[in-house]
Amino acid sequence: MLNNGYILSSSIKETALINKKIIPTKKNIESGKLLRSVRLNWTSECNFRCSYCHAEVIRQGGQSQNLNFYKAKEFIDKIFEVLKANNKTDLSVRFYGGEPLIYWKEIKKTIEYILKKKPKRFLVKTILNTNGALVNDQMARFGADNSVLFVVSLDGPPHIHDKLRRTKNNLGTYYSVRNGIKILIKNGCLACVHCTIDKHNSDLNSLKSLVKICQRLGVYGLAFTPSFQSLVRNTDNENKILASKIHRIFLYARKRGFVVGGLWKGVIGRLLNNFQKQIHCSGEGRELGIEADGSITSCVNIPTTFGNVINLKKVFKTPYYTKISKRHGQFLTSCSTCNLSGLCTGGCMSVPYYKSQDINKVTACSYYQALVNEFIKGIAKNGFEYYEYLGCGFGGF
């Protein structure tokens, strides 16, 4: 048992060993070695007006700023410099909005540049988050030819989806989204659906209807993620009900052959010992969001900026970047008595941010506790067959 690591020698300080495995060193933080993903926040412009969208808040603050190919090219060059210096061999690039397909020509040129610029034997994963309504055959063929993953937002059948996802003219959007997915599938493009769970679609029948729709369309993967607003406002009992629904729709979709994930997947992945990252999401130091002016953010729901991509080396030395990179439940006061701190690792940063403006004042604990409990009961009842592979959360699969 000693040789296999089940027990430790009395001479080893167990806490120090755990800390070493969990918390990145100052050198790795400040060199940018943690970086593995970039989110290009291309625009806050959108052809939809979804009521719970973070971009709507940005639009209300003033005129939209937009990225373009030449800015993106400059930013990507800076990213590759850091990756090369740290001997990295892979990068995930996510195009985000608003609706990034409004600027498809610029994005297409950027993807072509990234694939041309990347070093040999370097893996680049390209993801595009979209509402799907502007997808055409040309986009889909390019996506299929260049392994671009389209993650399309769809919340349920028409009477559910259209409650909160509407056009500027207050028209429903379901059929335009469905058509976009059909075009992607027809052209051989990998398409996944991301469902935001909130009051409008949280009943299990609505979620099951979405699974059936995606099955007919030929979608590859599904992600079910509660809106951060729901986790901010929910009572403990509401969180327990939500966790039960997440598990039940996960199992329902897995039994129908889908790869299934959500922004909870790291918690359950660590429970199953098949997900080794000791962070709740990539926004904790592994992914940088880049705005049109080059300013850096950690999360689409948190407006805090910390430096500019033009001076990327300085970004990694900012106190805020160090704070998010070291964020872990084991070292948060509110998690000190929780047996699940090693699984949820402090939970989603945006929830405590919107409750107290402090990402380390952990909340929504009842949701994560109930989620783990539901999955443990599910595994005991159903075995590991349906739980062996979890898709990713918001960015892709």
Side-chain angles (χ1 to χ4, degrees):
M1 292 182 72
L2 188 64
N3 290 337
N4 289 325
Y6 290 106
I7 59 174
L8 298 174
S9 167
S10 59
S11 63
I12 296 176
K13 292 184 178 180
E14 188 173 345
T15 304
L17 183 64
I18 293 171
N19 292 355
K20 185 177 180 180
K21 287 183 176 293
I22 291 175
I23 301 300
T25 64
K26 180 181 179 181
K27 180 181 179 181
N28 286 348
I29 292 172
E30 295 187 350
S31 68
K33 194 169 184 176
L34 305 183
L35 181 65
R36 62 180 184 82
S37 180
V38 174
R39 183 182 70 255
L40 295 174
N41 296 327
W42 205 274
T43 181
S44 61
E45 291 181 32
C46 190
N47 51 328
F48 285 11
R49 288 296 181 267
C50 304
S51 61
Y52 49 69
C53 181
H54 71 281
E56 184 64 27
V57 177
I58 297 171
R59 282 191 293 271
Q60 291 171 1
Q63 189 173 357
S64 172
Q65 286 190 317
N66 306 311
L67 264 170
N68 58 49
F69 168 68
Y70 297 102
K71 284 183 182 179
K73 177 177 176 292
E74 182 181 13
F75 298 166
I76 290 297
D77 286 345
K78 295 290 184 181
I79 296 296
F80 273 127
E81 284 178 15
V82 171
L83 296 173
K84 185 178 179 181
N86 285 287
N87 297 314
K88 293 288 185 178
T89 58
D90 63 282
L91 174 68
S92 175
V93 181
R94 183 148 56 109
F95 295 87
Y96 205 77
E99 177 47 56
L101 290 185
I102 292 172
Y103 293 93
W104 169 249
K105 290 182 180 179
E106 297 283 297
I107 287 175
K108 178 176 178 287
K109 286 171 65 178
T110 303
I111 294 172
E112 290 171 334
Y113 176 77
I114 291 170
L115 296 177
K116 182 180 178 180
K117 172 77 175 180
K118 73 178 184 68
K120 290 182 180 179
R121 295 181 293 278
F122 193 98
L123 178 64
V124 172
K125 182 179 178 181
T126 312
I127 304 156
L128 200 150
N129 286 89
T130 175
N131 61 44
L134 300 179
V135 170
N136 59 37
D137 287 307
Q138 182 189 33
M139 296 173 187
R141 284 193 294 269
F142 178 85
D145 291 342
N146 294 279
S147 301
V148 179
L149 173 64
F150 282 72
V151 180
V152 184
S153 298
L154 184 64
D155 287 353
H159 68 286
I160 297 295
H161 175 89
D162 289 346
K163 284 182 181 178
L164 299 186
R165 294 189 182 272
R166 305 187 69 81
T167 67
K168 295 177 182 178
N169 299 320
N170 201 31
L171 300 175
T173 62
Y174 171 83
Y175 290 102
S176 61
V177 174
R178 187 185 67 173
N179 185 59
I181 295 172
K182 284 183 175 180
I183 292 171
L184 292 170
I185 302 298
K186 179 187 72 175
N187 285 279
C189 191
L190 197 61
C192 299
V193 162
H194 183 270
C195 171
T196 301
I197 300 176
D198 210 306
K199 289 181 178 180
H200 68 304
N201 66 346
S202 62
D203 66 285
L204 199 60
N205 287 333
S206 296
L207 297 174
K208 285 182 177 180
S209 295
L210 175 62
V211 173
K212 292 174 183 176
I213 290 166
C214 291
Q215 196 167 23
R216 291 194 294 269
L217 290 172
V219 168
Y220 163 68
L222 285 166
F224 296 96
T225 299
S227 69
F228 81 89
Q229 295 97 326
S230 68
L231 294 180
V232 168
R233 67 172 180 259
N234 277 1
T235 64
D236 287 349
N237 189 56
E238 286 171 330
N239 276 334
K240 290 176 182 177
I241 294 171
L242 175 61
S244 175
K245 289 176 180 176
I246 292 281
H247 173 257
R248 291 172 70 183
I249 197 61
F250 164 85
L251 196 59
Y252 183 83
R254 284 292 289 126
K255 287 182 176 180
R256 282 151 185 79
F258 286 100
V259 175
V260 186
L263 285 182
W264 42 266
K265 54 103 182 190
V267 178
I268 304 306
R270 280 182 287 275
L271 172 68
L272 301 175
N273 200 32
N274 63 9
F275 194 87
Q276 298 301 317
K277 286 189 303 178
Q278 289 297 321
I279 55 172
H280 187 78
C281 80
S282 295
E284 295 174 0
R286 278 65 175 176
E287 178 178 271
L288 296 181
I290 306 178
E291 306 297 324
D293 61 358
S295 58
I296 300 292
T297 60
S298 61
C299 169
V300 295
N301 295 319
I302 298 177
T304 304
T305 60
F306 49 103
N308 194 288
V309 68
I310 300 304
N311 297 307
L312 194 52
K313 291 181 180 179
K314 290 184 178 180
V315 169
F316 299 125
K317 295 180 180 180
T318 60
Y320 189 80
Y321 182 74
T322 297
K323 181 179 181 178
I324 60 175
S325 298
K326 288 187 172 184
R327 186 177 184 270
H328 191 282
Q330 183 160 336
F331 306 99
L332 301 178
T333 303
S334 51
C335 298
S336 60
T337 60
C338 180
N339 292 329
L340 301 182
S341 62
L343 296 180
C344 91
T345 66
C348 174
M349 293 191 297
S350 61
V351 179
Y353 176 83
Y354 276 90
K355 277 198 169 184
S356 65
Q357 280 68 58
D358 184 351
I359 62 172
N360 286 341
K361 285 188 177 180
V362 175
T363 54
C365 300
S366 57
Y367 165 68
Y368 296 111
Q369 290 163 356
L371 193 66
V372 171
N373 187 48
E374 289 292 332
F375 272 80
I376 288 174
K377 289 190 296 184
I379 293 166
K381 181 179 179 180
N382 303 292
F384 277 96
E385 178 186 356
Y386 299 111
Y387 299 85
E388 288 177 343
Y389 182 74
L390 297 173
C392 294
F394 206 43
F397 286 74

